[in-house]
Amino acid sequence: MELQITWFVLWGVLWAVYFMLDGFVLGTGILHNVIAKTDGEKRVLINAVGPVWDGNEVWLLTAGGATFAAFPTTYALMFSYLYTALLLLLFSLIVRGVAFEFRGKVESATWKKTWDVAIQVSSFLPALLFGVAFGNIFAGLPMDANGYHGSLIGLLNPYGLLTGVLFVLLFTVHGALYLSVKSVGELSARAKGVADKVWPVLLVVAVAFLAYTKFATKLYDNYLAQPVLFIVPLLAVAGLVGTRLFSAKGATLAAFAASCVTVLMVAATGVAGLFPNLIPSSLDPAYSLTIFNSSSSPYTLKIMTAVALIFVPIVIAYKIWVYRIFRAPVTEAEVLNDTHAY
Amino acid sequence: MDVLTLSRLQFAATTMFHFIFVPLTLGLSVLTAYMETRYVRTGDETYLKMAKFWGKLFLINFALGVVTGITQEFQFGMNWAEYSRYVGDIFGAPLAIEATVAFFLESVFIGVWIFGWNKVSKATHAVAIWLVAIGTNLSALWILLANGWMQKPVGYVLRNGRAEMVDFLAVVTNPYGIIKFVHTLTSGYMVAAFFVMGISAWHLLRKNRIDFFVRSFRMAATFGFVAAILVFLSGDFHAVEIAKTQPTKFAAMESVWETQKGVGMNLILLPDPQNECNAVERLCIPNMVSMLAFHTPDAEIKGLKDFPKELRPPVQPTFWSFRLMVGLGTFMTLAALAGVILSRMKNLENRTLFLRVMLLALPLPYIAAQLGWIVAELGRQPWIVYGVLKTADGVSKAVTTPQVVGSLVGFTLIYSLLGAIDIYLLAKYARKGPDDDLSGIIKPATVKGA
């Protein structure tokens, strides 16, 4: 029992951390052709995420792997039910990964322009698709004794789309602030400007999302049963407000930190509302996938808990070390002189 | 075609494509790390240039290895949901551990290696590439333990309508998985060795940078020869393990139809699955197959006829893949040995014929590795988990034919395009040769008469 709850919490943490870390990389990609005007500026953008994007993406693989190991039934059904959406996600992640590596490898304007477009599209699509997928999970998937009754078009319902838009805007602001911290001069100012401009739109969509969630999902049931949980969405709101306040003061690093809190807490808000479901059924609660009916055996969960307890802190420790090494802003001069940079 | 056939096709295509990049990554990370270590210890800048040059090729290749790896994880849930549900309790664990223990390591430190030339000390920088190499190799360990479990399921019971893990230690010490890991890892080292030797040979034939490429060649030849010996040794133990645990695969590999003792190996042999016999059997080495199978000359080998037809793997592809793999392995071992000897003598750059052979040999270990996977995976059919779950019962129920057709077409297009770009970039940078500009790496004060 407790192990299943432990793994539910870990499952939520893995997704939340993934969104926080890859969120700003996706945001950077979404803004790739918006913020940067010249080739040099584009290279600054790519090099700003260069040292960390790969390690950040692994949180997704770990979230996927943890779902597989801890809740295999959910893993199996979620991945096969959302087949086409995941396929598009997969293609985007493939293209984004090689785009970073390949863009600078040939000195040709057409070559670079192609990869620039690829970076933007393959960053926008995952942000949208993750939102759509999670919106639909919050609302529940149409499944009963006869299996799944949904389709890709069915996923594009208003609530799913609204969540998709929320994710895109969230990551855009998140990425813009990261870039503002990681670059200097006019580029940094331009990035901050974008964050400030998108923020009000994000606020409106976030409020709409919170309101619509009341009607489209049962997420609030948990909150009403345990009002103390309201602290999670409140922290999300506090992060969102803090983002704007810090940015207004010109404290972009603090604004980015607030944005990290927002992303973490938005994910946590959804996860806390789902409990004990991993995927609720929108047709009949009896067919919801819960942590109790879809989990691994206690033995496997015990082994996995031991592995997580030992290795996750180690991973976090060396990741912090790496972020410290690369904490300085990236400048155009530095990128142009470094034969190794992207 | 149905979802099952299409999903099998897709799995074969995406896995084999993934395994074009992985073996080189396994070996080239170790070679690059060794080169950089030599630089840190000796201060000889040629080693630095070597690490940079081969490291750049490593990176181009690494990118595709990583992104095609994501497909592998997703695919189990997408196309093989019933399999994932049935064995997730035991199969999911190594995958999750791989991500946590190995994948983080390589992905985080590859960033330090690429971007850290001026940000960390020389020694730390070399440690970063070692951590990448260790992460990559550990990745292979966990994946092959997972695959080893599909080949020889251990440490589980069938309970609650699925396979549940009862003995984690048995899973991580599964001899099938361990031996498969050693065999796969060392064959990856051979891929890297022949890659470095082949490209070095190309430059030496053109008399480019002789010192640089002779040194690279020599290092790779030694590495490749040691790896080749280990490939053979592990291959031998692997065959024993297969004969013990997967008699149908072993019989198909050797095309043995009748159960008998003291089976000999025919150097010339044509299987005839239609008539359940061999059409041609010539040049027999007595008792050789029995020796291979159980290390005893008169051991009994179970023939394919002892198994119902529907439980036999396809004989022709299993048999021919195995033969060709062993043949290529033998040739490459000799080629690597010749490489060790000739690169230690003077005038490697003048041995034109040998260099041409080594250039042409570049793709051979790739082919051998793919053939090895055909033996392993096709030879396991019709089982997805040997003796426990049939491949046909592992496929997703919720997935439709158009979805898999769409994804297969998508994968084929994207993978072909990326494969072509990758080869183009590898060729471009391989041809360009090493970069003499170390300004991005060594701060002016420390440059010594370059």
Side-chain angles (χ1 to χ4, degrees), chain A residues 47 50 57-58 61-62 64 75-76 83-84 87 105 295-297 299-300 318 334 340, chain B residues 70 73 77 79 81 89 103-105 107 115 117 119 162 165 168 403 407 428-429 441:
Chain A
N47 282 282
E57 196 178 72
V58 177
L61 293 176
T62 309
Y75 176 81
Y83 193 94
T84 311
L87 192 73
K105 291 280 181 287
S295 81
S296 283
S297 63
Y299 180 78
T300 297
Y318 64 64
E334 181 193 3
H340 299 272
Chain B
I70 308 173
E73 183 187 289
N79 292 60
D89 194 71
F103 211 19
F104 268 124
L105 201 62
S107 301
F115 297 93
W117 290 99
K119 312 233 172 202
R162 64 179 181 191
M165 180 151 63
F168 180 65
Q403 281 179 316
S407 61
K428 175 182 146 104
Y429 280 92
I441 296 175

mmCIF file of all heavy atoms in Angstrom, chain A residues 47 50 57-58 61-62 64 75-76 83-84 87 105 295-297 299-300 318 334 340, chain B residues 70 73 77 79 81 89 103-105 107 115 117 119 162 165 168 403 407 428-429 441:
data_model
loop_
_atom_site.group_PDB
_atom_site.id
_atom_site.type_symbol
_atom_site.label_atom_id
_atom_site.label_comp_id
_atom_site.label_asym_id
_atom_site.label_seq_id
_atom_site.Cartn_x
_atom_site.Cartn_y
_atom_site.Cartn_z
ATOM 1 N N ASN A 47 23.346 27.217 -27.642
ATOM 2 C CA ASN A 47 24.401 26.925 -26.676
ATOM 3 C C ASN A 47 23.973 27.207 -25.240
ATOM 4 O O ASN A 47 24.581 26.689 -24.300
ATOM 5 C CB ASN A 47 25.667 27.693 -27.028
ATOM 6 C CG ASN A 47 26.401 27.033 -28.174
ATOM 7 O OD1 ASN A 47 27.086 26.041 -27.984
ATOM 8 N ND2 ASN A 47 26.219 27.527 -29.392
ATOM 9 N N GLY A 50 22.529 23.985 -24.665
ATOM 10 C CA GLY A 50 23.396 22.899 -25.140
ATOM 11 C C GLY A 50 23.913 21.960 -24.068
ATOM 12 O O GLY A 50 23.747 20.735 -24.181
ATOM 13 N N GLU A 57 16.266 15.784 -20.880
ATOM 14 C CA GLU A 57 15.330 14.908 -21.575
ATOM 15 C C GLU A 57 15.263 13.533 -20.916
ATOM 16 O O GLU A 57 14.252 12.835 -21.004
ATOM 17 C CB GLU A 57 15.747 14.773 -23.047
ATOM 18 C CG GLU A 57 14.653 14.220 -23.922
ATOM 19 C CD GLU A 57 15.084 14.134 -25.382
ATOM 20 O OE1 GLU A 57 15.913 13.269 -25.719
ATOM 21 O OE2 GLU A 57 14.609 14.945 -26.172
ATOM 22 N N VAL A 58 16.362 13.152 -20.251
ATOM 23 C CA VAL A 58 16.378 11.833 -19.617
ATOM 24 C C VAL A 58 15.305 11.709 -18.526
ATOM 25 O O VAL A 58 14.829 10.621 -18.244
ATOM 26 C CB VAL A 58 17.779 11.526 -19.063
ATOM 27 C CG1 VAL A 58 17.809 10.192 -18.336
ATOM 28 C CG2 VAL A 58 18.796 11.498 -20.187
ATOM 29 N N LEU A 61 12.559 9.956 -20.043
ATOM 30 C CA LEU A 61 12.791 8.520 -20.162
ATOM 31 C C LEU A 61 12.662 7.845 -18.808
ATOM 32 O O LEU A 61 12.176 6.721 -18.700
ATOM 33 C CB LEU A 61 14.180 8.260 -20.750
ATOM 34 C CG LEU A 61 14.324 8.716 -22.194
ATOM 35 C CD1 LEU A 61 15.737 8.519 -22.677
ATOM 36 C CD2 LEU A 61 13.360 7.944 -23.078
ATOM 37 N N THR A 62 13.089 8.547 -17.767
ATOM 38 C CA THR A 62 12.964 7.975 -16.428
ATOM 39 C C THR A 62 11.499 7.936 -16.000
ATOM 40 O O THR A 62 11.055 6.957 -15.400
ATOM 41 C CB THR A 62 13.798 8.793 -15.425
ATOM 42 O OG1 THR A 62 15.112 8.929 -15.970
ATOM 43 C CG2 THR A 62 13.902 8.094 -14.092
ATOM 44 N N GLY A 64 9.005 7.664 -18.002
ATOM 45 C CA GLY A 64 8.448 6.545 -18.778
ATOM 46 C C GLY A 64 8.860 5.207 -18.190
ATOM 47 O O GLY A 64 8.028 4.321 -17.971
ATOM 48 N N TYR A 75 1.247 1.853 -17.981
ATOM 49 C CA TYR A 75 2.207 2.101 -19.054
ATOM 50 C C TYR A 75 1.694 1.502 -20.364
ATOM 51 O O TYR A 75 1.663 2.168 -21.404
ATOM 52 C CB TYR A 75 3.555 1.492 -18.672
ATOM 53 C CG TYR A 75 4.603 1.606 -19.744
ATOM 54 C CD1 TYR A 75 5.322 2.788 -19.922
ATOM 55 C CD2 TYR A 75 4.872 0.540 -20.597
ATOM 56 C CE1 TYR A 75 6.271 2.897 -20.904
ATOM 57 C CE2 TYR A 75 5.831 0.642 -21.588
ATOM 58 C CZ TYR A 75 6.538 1.818 -21.736
ATOM 59 O OH TYR A 75 7.474 1.929 -22.717
ATOM 60 N N ALA A 76 1.296 0.243 -20.292
ATOM 61 C CA ALA A 76 0.867 -0.465 -21.500
ATOM 62 C C ALA A 76 -0.354 0.210 -22.119
ATOM 63 O O ALA A 76 -0.380 0.470 -23.325
ATOM 64 C CB ALA A 76 0.561 -1.923 -21.160
ATOM 65 N N TYR A 83 -1.480 6.235 -28.941
ATOM 66 C CA TYR A 83 -0.484 5.856 -29.948
ATOM 67 C C TYR A 83 -0.061 6.998 -30.876
ATOM 68 O O TYR A 83 1.109 7.352 -30.952
ATOM 69 C CB TYR A 83 -1.046 4.694 -30.783
ATOM 70 C CG TYR A 83 -0.020 3.988 -31.644
ATOM 71 C CD1 TYR A 83 0.618 2.858 -31.182
ATOM 72 C CD2 TYR A 83 0.289 4.446 -32.931
ATOM 73 C CE1 TYR A 83 1.557 2.194 -31.956
ATOM 74 C CE2 TYR A 83 1.217 3.794 -33.709
ATOM 75 C CZ TYR A 83 1.853 2.667 -33.218
ATOM 76 O OH TYR A 83 2.783 2.022 -33.993
ATOM 77 N N THR A 84 -1.031 7.561 -31.575
ATOM 78 C CA THR A 84 -0.683 8.543 -32.604
ATOM 79 C C THR A 84 -0.092 9.818 -31.999
ATOM 80 O O THR A 84 0.873 10.384 -32.525
ATOM 81 C CB THR A 84 -1.914 8.871 -33.470
ATOM 82 O OG1 THR A 84 -2.497 7.627 -33.880
ATOM 83 C CG2 THR A 84 -1.527 9.649 -34.705
ATOM 84 N N LEU A 87 3.378 9.093 -31.054
ATOM 85 C CA LEU A 87 4.224 8.966 -32.235
ATOM 86 C C LEU A 87 4.692 10.350 -32.698
ATOM 87 O O LEU A 87 5.880 10.547 -33.000
ATOM 88 C CB LEU A 87 3.422 8.285 -33.343
ATOM 89 C CG LEU A 87 4.256 7.835 -34.520
ATOM 90 C CD1 LEU A 87 5.071 6.614 -34.126
ATOM 91 C CD2 LEU A 87 3.370 7.517 -35.702
ATOM 92 N N LYS A 105 26.874 21.928 -38.188
ATOM 93 C CA LYS A 105 27.891 21.065 -38.785
ATOM 94 C C LYS A 105 28.159 21.355 -40.260
ATOM 95 O O LYS A 105 29.115 20.856 -40.828
ATOM 96 C CB LYS A 105 27.487 19.594 -38.618
ATOM 97 C CG LYS A 105 27.546 19.097 -37.169
ATOM 98 C CD LYS A 105 28.958 18.755 -36.758
ATOM 99 C CE LYS A 105 29.037 18.242 -35.332
ATOM 100 N NZ LYS A 105 28.845 19.300 -34.321
ATOM 101 N N SER A 295 -0.477 -1.553 -10.437
ATOM 102 C CA SER A 295 0.916 -1.462 -9.989
ATOM 103 C C SER A 295 1.653 -2.789 -10.116
ATOM 104 O O SER A 295 1.071 -3.837 -10.335
ATOM 105 C CB SER A 295 0.969 -1.009 -8.532
ATOM 106 O OG SER A 295 0.738 -2.114 -7.693
ATOM 107 N N SER A 296 2.972 -2.693 -9.970
ATOM 108 C CA SER A 296 3.807 -3.874 -9.914
ATOM 109 C C SER A 296 3.619 -4.557 -8.563
ATOM 110 O O SER A 296 2.968 -4.024 -7.663
ATOM 111 C CB SER A 296 5.273 -3.485 -10.073
ATOM 112 O OG SER A 296 5.541 -3.214 -11.420
ATOM 113 N N SER A 297 4.257 -5.717 -8.426
ATOM 114 C CA SER A 297 4.193 -6.445 -7.161
ATOM 115 C C SER A 297 4.957 -5.668 -6.086
ATOM 116 O O SER A 297 5.847 -4.880 -6.396
ATOM 117 C CB SER A 297 4.819 -7.819 -7.340
ATOM 118 O OG SER A 297 6.183 -7.675 -7.672
ATOM 119 N N TYR A 299 7.245 -6.645 -4.244
ATOM 120 C CA TYR A 299 8.675 -6.954 -4.341
ATOM 121 C C TYR A 299 9.375 -6.033 -5.343
ATOM 122 O O TYR A 299 10.401 -5.425 -5.040
ATOM 123 C CB TYR A 299 8.845 -8.427 -4.749
ATOM 124 C CG TYR A 299 10.296 -8.849 -4.874
ATOM 125 C CD1 TYR A 299 11.058 -9.131 -3.742
ATOM 126 C CD2 TYR A 299 10.914 -8.955 -6.126
ATOM 127 C CE1 TYR A 299 12.379 -9.516 -3.838
ATOM 128 C CE2 TYR A 299 12.238 -9.338 -6.236
ATOM 129 C CZ TYR A 299 12.979 -9.615 -5.095
ATOM 130 O OH TYR A 299 14.283 -9.988 -5.209
ATOM 131 N N THR A 300 8.787 -5.912 -6.549
ATOM 132 C CA THR A 300 9.384 -5.029 -7.558
ATOM 133 C C THR A 300 9.415 -3.584 -7.066
ATOM 134 O O THR A 300 10.412 -2.877 -7.238
ATOM 135 C CB THR A 300 8.593 -5.125 -8.880
ATOM 136 O OG1 THR A 300 8.709 -6.463 -9.363
ATOM 137 C CG2 THR A 300 9.136 -4.168 -9.921
ATOM 138 N N TYR A 318 25.030 15.492 -9.150
ATOM 139 C CA TYR A 318 25.911 15.866 -10.255
ATOM 140 C C TYR A 318 25.243 16.806 -11.244
ATOM 141 O O TYR A 318 25.915 17.593 -11.908
ATOM 142 C CB TYR A 318 26.632 14.679 -10.904
ATOM 143 C CG TYR A 318 25.843 13.602 -11.611
ATOM 144 C CD1 TYR A 318 25.095 13.860 -12.746
ATOM 145 C CD2 TYR A 318 25.920 12.285 -11.183
ATOM 146 C CE1 TYR A 318 24.428 12.845 -13.417
ATOM 147 C CE2 TYR A 318 25.258 11.254 -11.850
ATOM 148 C CZ TYR A 318 24.519 11.539 -12.957
ATOM 149 O OH TYR A 318 23.866 10.545 -13.632
ATOM 150 N N GLU A 334 31.952 34.326 -27.267
ATOM 151 C CA GLU A 334 32.404 33.037 -26.736
ATOM 152 C C GLU A 334 32.019 31.900 -27.680
ATOM 153 O O GLU A 334 32.809 31.013 -27.978
ATOM 154 C CB GLU A 334 31.749 32.847 -25.359
ATOM 155 C CG GLU A 334 32.128 31.580 -24.644
ATOM 156 C CD GLU A 334 31.202 31.317 -23.461
ATOM 157 O OE1 GLU A 334 30.248 32.094 -23.239
ATOM 158 O OE2 GLU A 334 31.428 30.327 -22.780
ATOM 159 N N HIS A 340 33.989 23.996 -30.330
ATOM 160 C CA HIS A 340 33.199 22.848 -29.899
ATOM 161 C C HIS A 340 31.739 23.164 -29.726
ATOM 162 O O HIS A 340 30.915 22.263 -29.699
ATOM 163 C CB HIS A 340 33.734 22.309 -28.573
ATOM 164 C CG HIS A 340 35.139 21.870 -28.726
ATOM 165 N ND1 HIS A 340 35.475 20.614 -29.125
ATOM 166 C CD2 HIS A 340 36.280 22.559 -28.616
ATOM 167 C CE1 HIS A 340 36.787 20.539 -29.233
ATOM 168 N NE2 HIS A 340 37.291 21.696 -28.933
ATOM 169 N N ILE B 70 15.041 6.512 -27.633
ATOM 170 C CA ILE B 70 13.753 6.892 -27.042
ATOM 171 C C ILE B 70 12.638 6.057 -27.680
ATOM 172 O O ILE B 70 11.717 5.609 -27.014
ATOM 173 C CB ILE B 70 13.469 8.399 -27.255
ATOM 174 C CG1 ILE B 70 14.666 9.224 -26.787
ATOM 175 C CG2 ILE B 70 12.223 8.832 -26.512
ATOM 176 C CD1 ILE B 70 14.549 10.698 -27.124
ATOM 177 N N GLU B 73 12.137 2.631 -26.007
ATOM 178 C CA GLU B 73 11.359 2.572 -24.756
ATOM 179 C C GLU B 73 9.863 2.746 -25.028
ATOM 180 O O GLU B 73 9.045 1.998 -24.514
ATOM 181 C CB GLU B 73 11.825 3.642 -23.762
ATOM 182 C CG GLU B 73 11.060 3.536 -22.439
ATOM 183 C CD GLU B 73 11.339 4.678 -21.463
ATOM 184 O OE1 GLU B 73 12.449 4.726 -20.918
ATOM 185 O OE2 GLU B 73 10.442 5.507 -21.263
ATOM 186 N N GLY B 77 5.391 0.039 -24.963
ATOM 187 C CA GLY B 77 4.025 0.362 -24.557
ATOM 188 C C GLY B 77 3.114 0.564 -25.753
ATOM 189 O O GLY B 77 1.950 0.166 -25.740
ATOM 190 N N ASN B 79 3.351 -0.499 -29.143
ATOM 191 C CA ASN B 79 3.031 -1.632 -30.018
ATOM 192 C C ASN B 79 2.903 -2.961 -29.287
ATOM 193 O O ASN B 79 2.329 -3.904 -29.804
ATOM 194 C CB ASN B 79 4.099 -1.793 -31.100
ATOM 195 C CG ASN B 79 4.092 -0.662 -32.082
ATOM 196 O OD1 ASN B 79 4.282 0.479 -31.697
ATOM 197 N ND2 ASN B 79 3.826 -0.959 -33.336
ATOM 198 N N ALA B 81 1.755 -3.635 -25.969
ATOM 199 C CA ALA B 81 1.111 -3.343 -24.680
ATOM 200 C C ALA B 81 0.838 -4.625 -23.887
ATOM 201 O O ALA B 81 1.020 -4.667 -22.672
ATOM 202 C CB ALA B 81 -0.180 -2.567 -24.905
ATOM 203 N N ASP B 89 6.253 -6.134 -14.610
ATOM 204 C CA ASP B 89 6.715 -6.250 -13.227
ATOM 205 C C ASP B 89 8.201 -6.586 -13.155
ATOM 206 O O ASP B 89 8.903 -6.190 -12.241
ATOM 207 C CB ASP B 89 5.906 -7.356 -12.529
ATOM 208 C CG ASP B 89 6.084 -7.310 -11.026
ATOM 209 O OD1 ASP B 89 5.565 -6.375 -10.414
ATOM 210 O OD2 ASP B 89 6.758 -8.200 -10.479
ATOM 211 N N PHE B 103 21.719 6.271 -18.102
ATOM 212 C CA PHE B 103 21.396 7.243 -19.127
ATOM 213 C C PHE B 103 21.624 8.670 -18.645
ATOM 214 O O PHE B 103 22.099 9.522 -19.399
ATOM 215 C CB PHE B 103 19.954 7.034 -19.596
ATOM 216 C CG PHE B 103 19.743 7.390 -21.025
ATOM 217 C CD1 PHE B 103 20.811 7.489 -21.904
ATOM 218 C CD2 PHE B 103 18.474 7.616 -21.510
ATOM 219 C CE1 PHE B 103 20.613 7.820 -23.230
ATOM 220 C CE2 PHE B 103 18.267 7.949 -22.840
ATOM 221 C CZ PHE B 103 19.331 8.056 -23.696
ATOM 222 N N PHE B 104 21.314 8.912 -17.376
ATOM 223 C CA PHE B 104 21.594 10.228 -16.809
ATOM 224 C C PHE B 104 23.090 10.529 -16.878
ATOM 225 O O PHE B 104 23.509 11.626 -17.252
ATOM 226 C CB PHE B 104 21.138 10.297 -15.353
ATOM 227 C CG PHE B 104 19.733 10.809 -15.184
ATOM 228 C CD1 PHE B 104 18.783 10.064 -14.519
ATOM 229 C CD2 PHE B 104 19.370 12.043 -15.686
ATOM 230 C CE1 PHE B 104 17.485 10.540 -14.363
ATOM 231 C CE2 PHE B 104 18.083 12.531 -15.535
ATOM 232 C CZ PHE B 104 17.141 11.767 -14.868
ATOM 233 N N LEU B 105 23.866 9.519 -16.513
ATOM 234 C CA LEU B 105 25.310 9.703 -16.448
ATOM 235 C C LEU B 105 25.865 10.141 -17.809
ATOM 236 O O LEU B 105 26.556 11.152 -17.934
ATOM 237 C CB LEU B 105 25.936 8.364 -16.007
ATOM 238 C CG LEU B 105 27.320 8.397 -15.406
ATOM 239 C CD1 LEU B 105 27.334 9.210 -14.139
ATOM 240 C CD2 LEU B 105 27.791 6.972 -15.101
ATOM 241 N N SER B 107 24.241 11.261 -20.475
ATOM 242 C CA SER B 107 23.635 12.452 -21.062
ATOM 243 C C SER B 107 24.076 13.733 -20.371
ATOM 244 O O SER B 107 24.175 14.780 -21.000
ATOM 245 C CB SER B 107 22.111 12.357 -21.001
ATOM 246 O OG SER B 107 21.702 11.217 -21.687
ATOM 247 N N PHE B 115 30.937 21.056 -23.942
ATOM 248 C CA PHE B 115 30.980 22.492 -23.666
ATOM 249 C C PHE B 115 31.963 22.871 -22.562
ATOM 250 O O PHE B 115 32.114 24.036 -22.253
ATOM 251 C CB PHE B 115 29.575 22.980 -23.277
ATOM 252 C CG PHE B 115 28.572 22.821 -24.387
ATOM 253 C CD1 PHE B 115 27.793 21.682 -24.485
ATOM 254 C CD2 PHE B 115 28.437 23.801 -25.359
ATOM 255 C CE1 PHE B 115 26.887 21.519 -25.522
ATOM 256 C CE2 PHE B 115 27.532 23.650 -26.396
ATOM 257 C CZ PHE B 115 26.763 22.514 -26.477
ATOM 258 N N TRP B 117 35.352 22.417 -22.268
ATOM 259 C CA TRP B 117 36.800 22.498 -22.520
ATOM 260 C C TRP B 117 37.464 23.631 -21.733
ATOM 261 O O TRP B 117 38.581 23.481 -21.261
ATOM 262 C CB TRP B 117 37.087 22.676 -24.009
ATOM 263 C CG TRP B 117 36.783 21.450 -24.825
ATOM 264 C CD1 TRP B 117 35.646 21.233 -25.549
ATOM 265 C CD2 TRP B 117 37.601 20.284 -25.002
ATOM 266 N NE1 TRP B 117 35.705 20.001 -26.163
ATOM 267 C CE2 TRP B 117 36.898 19.399 -25.863
ATOM 268 C CE3 TRP B 117 38.862 19.897 -24.540
ATOM 269 C CZ2 TRP B 117 37.403 18.152 -26.246
ATOM 270 C CZ3 TRP B 117 39.364 18.661 -24.934
ATOM 271 C CH2 TRP B 117 38.643 17.812 -25.773
ATOM 272 N N LYS B 119 35.892 25.242 -19.131
ATOM 273 C CA LYS B 119 35.210 25.495 -17.862
ATOM 274 C C LYS B 119 35.677 24.575 -16.743
ATOM 275 O O LYS B 119 35.449 24.874 -15.579
ATOM 276 C CB LYS B 119 33.704 25.343 -18.027
ATOM 277 C CG LYS B 119 33.161 26.074 -19.237
ATOM 278 C CD LYS B 119 32.019 26.990 -18.882
ATOM 279 C CE LYS B 119 31.683 27.804 -20.104
ATOM 280 N NZ LYS B 119 31.019 29.010 -19.896
ATOM 281 N N ARG B 162 0.148 -12.556 -14.678
ATOM 282 C CA ARG B 162 1.341 -11.955 -15.278
ATOM 283 C C ARG B 162 2.589 -12.571 -14.657
ATOM 284 O O ARG B 162 2.498 -13.358 -13.708
ATOM 285 C CB ARG B 162 1.355 -10.445 -15.036
ATOM 286 C CG ARG B 162 1.460 -10.114 -13.555
ATOM 287 C CD ARG B 162 1.488 -8.618 -13.305
ATOM 288 N NE ARG B 162 1.620 -8.332 -11.888
ATOM 289 C CZ ARG B 162 1.464 -7.125 -11.371
ATOM 290 N NH1 ARG B 162 1.184 -6.098 -12.143
ATOM 291 N NH2 ARG B 162 1.624 -6.929 -10.084
ATOM 292 N N MET B 165 8.168 -10.606 -10.489
ATOM 293 C CA MET B 165 9.546 -10.830 -10.057
ATOM 294 C C MET B 165 9.558 -11.358 -8.624
ATOM 295 O O MET B 165 8.849 -10.857 -7.758
ATOM 296 C CB MET B 165 10.323 -9.505 -10.145
ATOM 297 C CG MET B 165 11.773 -9.621 -9.714
ATOM 298 S SD MET B 165 12.852 -8.441 -10.552
ATOM 299 C CE MET B 165 12.221 -6.867 -10.001
ATOM 300 N N PHE B 168 15.314 -10.611 -7.706
ATOM 301 C CA PHE B 168 16.012 -9.593 -8.496
ATOM 302 C C PHE B 168 17.452 -10.014 -8.779
ATOM 303 O O PHE B 168 17.980 -9.798 -9.871
ATOM 304 C CB PHE B 168 15.993 -8.274 -7.720
ATOM 305 C CG PHE B 168 16.676 -7.128 -8.416
ATOM 306 C CD1 PHE B 168 16.183 -6.616 -9.607
ATOM 307 C CD2 PHE B 168 17.823 -6.551 -7.879
ATOM 308 C CE1 PHE B 168 16.811 -5.561 -10.246
ATOM 309 C CE2 PHE B 168 18.459 -5.495 -8.520
ATOM 310 C CZ PHE B 168 17.945 -5.003 -9.702
ATOM 311 N N GLN B 403 -2.796 2.816 -37.921
ATOM 312 C CA GLN B 403 -1.858 3.484 -37.018
ATOM 313 C C GLN B 403 -0.441 2.939 -37.206
ATOM 314 O O GLN B 403 0.519 3.698 -37.253
ATOM 315 C CB GLN B 403 -2.292 3.281 -35.564
ATOM 316 C CG GLN B 403 -3.422 4.191 -35.139
ATOM 317 C CD GLN B 403 -3.832 3.936 -33.704
ATOM 318 O OE1 GLN B 403 -3.959 2.800 -33.266
ATOM 319 N NE2 GLN B 403 -4.049 5.003 -32.952
ATOM 320 N N SER B 407 2.845 4.783 -38.673
ATOM 321 C CA SER B 407 4.082 4.945 -37.917
ATOM 322 C C SER B 407 5.254 4.301 -38.646
ATOM 323 O O SER B 407 6.359 4.828 -38.664
ATOM 324 C CB SER B 407 3.922 4.373 -36.509
ATOM 325 O OG SER B 407 3.637 3.004 -36.552
ATOM 326 N N LYS B 428 31.981 13.679 -44.109
ATOM 327 C CA LYS B 428 32.540 15.030 -44.244
ATOM 328 C C LYS B 428 33.628 15.280 -43.195
ATOM 329 O O LYS B 428 34.720 15.739 -43.515
ATOM 330 C CB LYS B 428 31.390 16.041 -44.091
ATOM 331 C CG LYS B 428 31.804 17.498 -44.094
ATOM 332 C CD LYS B 428 30.563 18.384 -43.891
ATOM 333 C CE LYS B 428 30.910 19.620 -43.098
ATOM 334 N NZ LYS B 428 31.012 20.843 -43.834
ATOM 335 N N TYR B 429 33.302 14.967 -41.945
ATOM 336 C CA TYR B 429 34.266 15.262 -40.880
ATOM 337 C C TYR B 429 35.403 14.254 -40.835
ATOM 338 O O TYR B 429 36.526 14.588 -40.440
ATOM 339 C CB TYR B 429 33.554 15.387 -39.528
ATOM 340 C CG TYR B 429 32.922 16.749 -39.395
ATOM 341 C CD1 TYR B 429 31.610 16.974 -39.774
ATOM 342 C CD2 TYR B 429 33.682 17.830 -38.964
ATOM 343 C CE1 TYR B 429 31.045 18.233 -39.698
ATOM 344 C CE2 TYR B 429 33.127 19.101 -38.882
ATOM 345 C CZ TYR B 429 31.808 19.298 -39.249
ATOM 346 O OH TYR B 429 31.265 20.549 -39.188
ATOM 347 N N ILE B 441 40.641 25.280 -26.735
ATOM 348 C CA ILE B 441 40.865 24.315 -25.674
ATOM 349 C C ILE B 441 42.004 24.710 -24.760
ATOM 350 O O ILE B 441 41.885 24.755 -23.548
ATOM 351 C CB ILE B 441 41.195 22.943 -26.275
ATOM 352 C CG1 ILE B 441 39.991 22.452 -27.044
ATOM 353 C CG2 ILE B 441 41.574 21.968 -25.190
ATOM 354 C CD1 ILE B 441 40.260 21.192 -27.767
#
